[in-house]
Amino acid sequence: MVPRYRPERLCRSRSGASDAPVMTTQRGIGELGLGTGKKARLNRILYHHGLRNGTAIFLPYDHGLEHGPRDFFANPAVSDPAYIIALAIEGGFNGIAVQIGLAEKFYWDFAGEVPLVLKLNGKTDIPSDADALSPLHATVADAVRLGADAVGYTLYVGSPAQEADFRQYRQVREDAQRLGMPLIVWAYPRGAAIEAKGGKDSFYAVDYAARTASELGADLVKVNFPDPEKRTAVRSEYDAEFSSQQAIDAVVRSANRTLLLVSGGERAGDDAMLEKAREAMEAGATGLIYGRNVWQREHDESLRFVGRLREILAKYSRTGPAVT
Amino acid sequence: MVPRYRPERLCRSRSGASDAPVMTTQRGIGELGLGTGKKARLNRILYHHGLRNGTAIFLPYDHGLEHGPRDFFANPAVSDPAYIIALAIEGGFNGIAVQIGLAEKFYWDFAGEVPLVLKLNGKTDIPSDADALSPLHATVADAVRLGADAVGYTLYVGSPAQEADFRQYRQVREDAQRLGMPLIVWAYPRGAAIEAKGGKDSFYAVDYAARTASELGADLVKVNFPDPEKRTAVRSEYDAEFSSQQAIDAVVRSANRTLLLVSGGERAGDDAMLEKAREAMEAGATGLIYGRNVWQREHDESLRFVGRLREILAKYSRTGPAVT
Amino acid sequence: MVPRYRPERLCRSRSGASDAPVMTTQRGIGELGLGTGKKARLNRILYHHGLRNGTAIFLPYDHGLEHGPRDFFANPAVSDPAYIIALAIEGGFNGIAVQIGLAEKFYWDFAGEVPLVLKLNGKTDIPSDADALSPLHATVADAVRLGADAVGYTLYVGSPAQEADFRQYRQVREDAQRLGMPLIVWAYPRGAAIEAKGGKDSFYAVDYAARTASELGADLVKVNFPDPEKRTAVRSEYDAEFSSQQAIDAVVRSANRTLLLVSGGERAGDDAMLEKAREAMEAGATGLIYGRNVWQREHDESLRFVGRLREILAKYSRTGPAVT
Amino acid sequence: MVPRYRPERLCRSRSGASDAPVMTTQRGIGELGLGTGKKARLNRILYHHGLRNGTAIFLPYDHGLEHGPRDFFANPAVSDPAYIIALAIEGGFNGIAVQIGLAEKFYWDFAGEVPLVLKLNGKTDIPSDADALSPLHATVADAVRLGADAVGYTLYVGSPAQEADFRQYRQVREDAQRLGMPLIVWAYPRGAAIEAKGGKDSFYAVDYAARTASELGADLVKVNFPDPEKRTAVRSEYDAEFSSQQAIDAVVRSANRTLLLVSGGERAGDDAMLEKAREAMEAGATGLIYGRNVWQREHDESLRFVGRLREILAKYSRTGPAVT
Amino acid sequence: MVPRYRPERLCRSRSGASDAPVMTTQRGIGELGLGTGKKARLNRILYHHGLRNGTAIFLPYDHGLEHGPRDFFANPAVSDPAYIIALAIEGGFNGIAVQIGLAEKFYWDFAGEVPLVLKLNGKTDIPSDADALSPLHATVADAVRLGADAVGYTLYVGSPAQEADFRQYRQVREDAQRLGMPLIVWAYPRGAAIEAKGGKDSFYAVDYAARTASELGADLVKVNFPDPEKRTAVRSEYDAEFSSQQAIDAVVRSANRTLLLVSGGERAGDDAMLEKAREAMEAGATGLIYGRNVWQREHDESLRFVGRLREILAKYSRTGPAVT
């Protein structure tokens, strides 16, 4: 009998000089099981914006809600959503992710110049995070009305409130499926059980979060870069020596046909950030989603840092063959 | 490349003699990203009532529910909603904010003479405030039926019940968007976490509350005047020397295209109140929302105090250019 | 400027011989801001039944649910709803208030002879009352179907479950507005915070409860007679010497255009009951709602007591001028 | 004035030889305030099945869910729902009460031979019973679709979860009213407050439960036989000497136009069971609902016991005059 | 009278040589009370796939959600859903059970080659399992849209969250009935009360779980193999000597017309697994549902193990007579 399954080389099938573009064999957007509307919008994000090579870099800007205005004190200009959207256009981003209030009042001025990712849920960081759950503020229908090309949903994987979170998420997934809207899941491990098993950046937690998003139907998933050295009390399978590259390779594999975006988290050193970005792209990630690392700088400094990120993405064109 | 973003001078671009009207560069209501119905109603409030100069002063009267009749003991006449609505008309207010019961039974007599702000939620102060959440009593559709020009919603930012509050708020925001009804958010920091970080009037808390309303799509936001001296245990960014003017400037910036109203709170000394009002308008606020400070006086005394507030507002016409 | 507001003399404008009917200036039902259906039904209750003079006396009979059959042991005949409805007809009541089960099975026999007030919510007194909330058993649509002229809703003002209660109440208010059905709120202060501040019969608690019903859109409100001597730990405004008459005057003023009904509570001495009734009518109340005080007697004794109540109501015709 | 109310002799108006049929004056099904569909279906149950004399005996079979298969160990054959339904037909029962799963898969084979009572809610006895609430598994619409002649609902009167129970019950009552489906309430006192006041079989608890079902609109109510000797800490009215007959008389009176069914509970001695059945019928009950007492025996033994119950019911024809 | 009920010999009516196919008298799918759509789809699963003899073996693959990617570490290839679906086709399975995300993105490639069982609910194993409840991620309508032939629902029998679980399940049952979709219940005893009474694999727990699924309308039920030796604190009826065969016989009897599938649980020794499978089929089970025991091996080793399972199923054709 002819075997029904031929393994795809999902990642790292790199060859040639290290600076030459890498033709990965990651599946193209035509091979992800997407409906027409999702494919059309994702095509717009990945091939009509940014580097137009199937990679992506997104600019998230929901910190005014998630952390409060304090994130803007270092550079008061960034308090103005118009500044940020303009920066996304100047920097050649593939999308800007904001909450409904800012989308309603600011995106009109820039509509069509940079894809809108409407962030559907969010919360302040004031009350206790013990039962973290991020309530919905907008619907997929709002996103359609505003001309968005994707929606974002924060899922707190492992939170004691996970059950309510999953239920809330379900409505979003259904609406996104029905309306042909790509769904990006911010997959954040959270809660006491996560803290007790290596923490939210552990390889164990990030790997599980990526898979959860995939099992539950995300089209893209945003994760923090996994830290394989956070091994305290993790499941035994993760309590071994893994390189940083091995960890991100596994996370991409767990996400499978759900495209992976790596987030920057709190501002860190530039070189470390760039190395993480490179490893993620090498592993088969589709791109990056960097906020504070980008805009907590002076304007021109922000653009310079974005330029270095784009240099990395330029090496990882995701234009692989239709069928391998 | 021509920069895509030119910073707007949102506030304090004052010039000339200090008593001359200040032509601020705050955006006009045509530049706030509003739909047709919201713009029409907001135009009616800001330019067809009160000083008709783009500023506003509102008279809130939900104390019978929020505090009980005790607030009326100082002047029993104010127990009668008809007295209050008449006062709002005599004083040249831009709106009267009441609960559904009073709107149903009293507004007909005065319909069209002063804009109605239907307060959609509210609670008594009898049970514990620990998990403060203010339940809905009316819908945006009720407001439409009653000829209201705006709706009001109390959002307890930071309350442990924040998640439920945000969910309840979402329905209101969606209805207001759908029905073209301006949405005023009473953004009140509340709960143990707020108490532990400087309290509900701290610069930190008020600034975060204003931004939250903006991120979640409020058209106007009502906040208490921020007190930058309440710094105990606030986020480090707020633990510095700020003048009262700097604090309110920042709050207006955080609210951005969500118009800011400053509330009076409990009755305080008149001169202090007037100075706060002046600073708020200087910072770019759209106006004031004063209840007990106005009506916990004899009738003529109330009108005299309102007259002094109107003198301040008269100096801050919000008729800025269409595009700066 | 001509003052926009002329205070109405809501109550106690009595003149002439003390036994002569008092022409109060309380507003007629045409001046309460009621829609057509509510006005029609309230007109039927107040002017086509009972004394037909704008006052009312209601017979409540939900004790079988609220307390269980024990309330009927003193006179087993009253266990039969048919006995009670017949008594209401014989006694010339303006309405009989029962739960859905009894209305469905017993009102048909007497339909149209005495107005039906369908009590929409209720509970047993078996489990703890700490988080008192009275769940709905029927809808306003049920009331319409059964030919009722009003609906009743028990609101536990101040209960820790107040938020859920208010939400449940909202649906009733909306349905009553939509279907033109007068809404009578049983406004009962309840919960630990009430117990700690003077108790459920204190002037403070009753006054707040009456106002809450008014703010939330009740057409009539049923309260216990306020006891101004219960002052322990009440709000400072209530911690003073008030006569019984002053207290009920204030409660009527707080209810304003929401008509006030005074309940009898547990069976008490007849003369004390009659004096309370007289004071309430003097204050401007619309009427009485007495259950156990009426039917926990032998049949003829019940009718005799009702006769004495009617004598009082006869002195307080509510046929005041249309506009004062 | 001619008195509007003539007391009906609801029960115990027995005369003649003790073995002759008793013509009680209990109201016929035409006098219960029932709509057309309810009357038609109840007529089918009471006069077209069983003894066809207005009495009834039901066979409940939801023990596989409520207790698990352990109830079937004494006679494994009864594990098979087909065995039980056949037994109900052979024994001349007026109805078989089962959960949706068994109704869907087994009733087709016997459809029309014995009335189906679809039990709408139920639970396992595995988790704690402290907040007892029995969730819905099926709807009245399911019952209509399956050709049922009644639905059953378990109401835990007095449970701390009573509020949620009452809300859930309301939907059932409304659907039953709308679809013309007789509603049988399993009125079970339950919870710590019941345990503290005489327990679930006390006269106090059973009397209150029967009345609650009546107030809330049940057409029939199933109660345990009241035990007047369980008086510890009951309400004072019940803390007196009552005979077994007096207690069941009072319970029938509390239920009034809601027809009463007495359940058998755990298997007990036959003679005691039969005596209880006789007292209940004497009091005016409509019939019996016996499960384990019937089927926890060998097949022929079951039928013999049923025969003895039928002998009792035969003496209590419920064909009283239309109007007394 | 001719007895209405003739007992069916549900199981173990084996005769002839032990290796010859056993013609059990288990009812065919035409005798299960199924509607047209359910019968059509179940027919497809049982007679058009696998051995086409009325038995079934399913491949479940929701471990990426339930346990995380750790289950795939032993053989990284199985992280790829395409590998697993291909394996199900190669191994001649009757169905593959996956969550919505994998079904959406992977089943298209194999649509129609192996029946899809859409698993409707699921959860991670990160937070505490104390109140286990598995939230819905997809609907029966999703299953119809994706061409599935059955849906799967995890019901945690005995969990403290049982009430919410039962409510959630009800919607699934109703939708499955309405849309003609066979419903497979993963009946898992769970929670402190289960742990205290013999644990989740005890005969008591598994027997109760199977019956619960049957009472609540499951078409198929998946249970763990019962362990009659786990008797600590179980109900007295189960505290006796039962052989493994007697236990599974009883469980099949409790499930009755709900077809039984036995799961493999954690990977165990092959011979023990095969013996359990044989006993289950002997008892009258319809088939097996084995995940980790199948795919936590190298590819060819997996197929070899499946071959041994198929040998067993081949001996238990479920093509019994229409009426016995």
Side-chain angles (χ1 to χ4, degrees), chain B residues 61 64-68 79-81 83 86 90 101 105-106 109 113 124-126 133 136-137 139 142 145, chain C residues 1 3-5 33 162-163 166 170 173-174 177 193 207-208 211 214-215 217-219 235 238 254 256-257:
Chain B
Y61 183 66
L65 177 61
E66 298 287 339
H67 305 151
S79 171
D80 187 351
Y83 171 90
E90 292 165 333
K105 295 210 178 338
F106 292 89
D109 297 357
E113 297 188 54
T124 74
D125 68 355
I126 302 173
L133 173 58
L136 282 176
H137 301 302
T139 62
D142 284 317
R145 175 172 55 84
Chain C
M1 184 164 85
R4 186 67 181 75
Y5 172 73
Q162 177 177 273
E163 177 203 324
F166 280 8
R170 176 163 70 99
R173 184 197 61 72
E174 287 183 6
Q177 196 278 332
D207 198 24
Y208 203 156
R211 182 70 183 202
S214 168
E215 297 262 342
D219 299 307
R235 293 279 181 182
Y238 293 89
S254 291
N256 218 290
R257 292 188 186 171

Side-chain angles (χ1 to χ4, degrees), chain B residues 8 14 26 38 59 67 84 109 114 120 124 141-142 145 153 155 162 166 203 213 224 229 242 263 269 295 311 316:
Chain B
E8 305 162 33
R14 180 172 188 170
Q26 199 195 39
K38 286 192 177 199
L59 192 63
H67 305 151
I84 294 289
D109 297 357
V114 60
L120 299 186
T124 74
D142 284 317
R145 175 172 55 84
Y153 182 93
L155 188 76
Q162 177 177 274
F166 281 8
F203 175 21
N224 285 331
E229 300 196 1
F242 293 102
S263 73
W295 47 251
E311 282 172 26
Y316 293 90

Side-chain angles (χ1 to χ4, degrees), chain A residues 3-5 32 162-163 166 170 173-174 177 193 207-208 211 214-215 217-219 235 238 254 256-257, chain E residues 61 64-68 79-80 83 86 90 101 105-106 109 113 124-126 133 136-137 139 142 145:
Chain A
R4 187 67 180 75
Y5 173 72
L32 299 174
Q162 177 178 276
E163 178 203 323
F166 281 7
R170 175 162 72 99
R173 185 197 60 71
E174 287 183 5
Q177 196 278 332
D207 199 24
Y208 204 156
R211 182 71 183 201
S214 168
E215 296 262 341
D219 299 308
R235 292 280 181 180
Y238 293 89
S254 290
N256 218 291
R257 293 187 186 171
Chain E
Y61 183 66
L65 177 61
E66 298 287 339
H67 305 151
S79 171
D80 186 351
Y83 171 90
E90 291 166 334
K105 294 207 179 341
F106 291 90
D109 297 358
E113 297 187 55
T124 74
D125 68 355
I126 302 173
L133 173 57
L136 282 177
H137 301 302
T139 61
D142 283 318
R145 174 171 57 83

